[in-house]
Amino acid sequence: LAEMEPQNLGGQPPTLELYDRRSDPDEMHNLAKDSNSEIQRQRLWKALRTWSVATGDASAPLPAAP
């Protein structure tokens, strides 16, 4: 729901979000800064950058790494 988005509640959304949808289907625990998620985060970041370049998506410029 858009009314529950952090930016619509006066907060700042996190720069990077990573959730374990199996154990956390409501996406309440952001794993992006969890050191145990480093390999998964890097793999997904690389896939996102590859997709962004391949599609020419410039809507959200991505830094080289999170």
Side-chain angles (χ1 to χ4, degrees):
L1 298 169
E3 62 269 9
M4 296 303 291
E5 294 293 329
Q7 62 271 27
N8 294 336
L9 296 172
Q12 280 291 81
T15 302
L16 184 64
E17 295 178 84
L18 178 63
Y19 300 96
D20 181 341
R21 299 288 311 274
R22 288 187 186 117
S23 66
D24 182 20
D26 295 323
E27 299 178 349
M28 301 301 289
H29 184 68
N30 187 357
L31 300 171
K33 294 183 180 179
D34 185 333
S35 61
N36 293 325
S37 300
E38 178 69 21
I39 292 170
Q40 184 74 343
R41 183 175 61 248
Q42 292 299 326
R43 183 184 69 77
L44 291 169
W45 188 259
K46 183 179 177 183
L48 178 59
R49 285 195 45 79
T50 299
W51 177 86
S52 180
V53 170
T55 62
D57 182 6
S59 63
L62 299 171

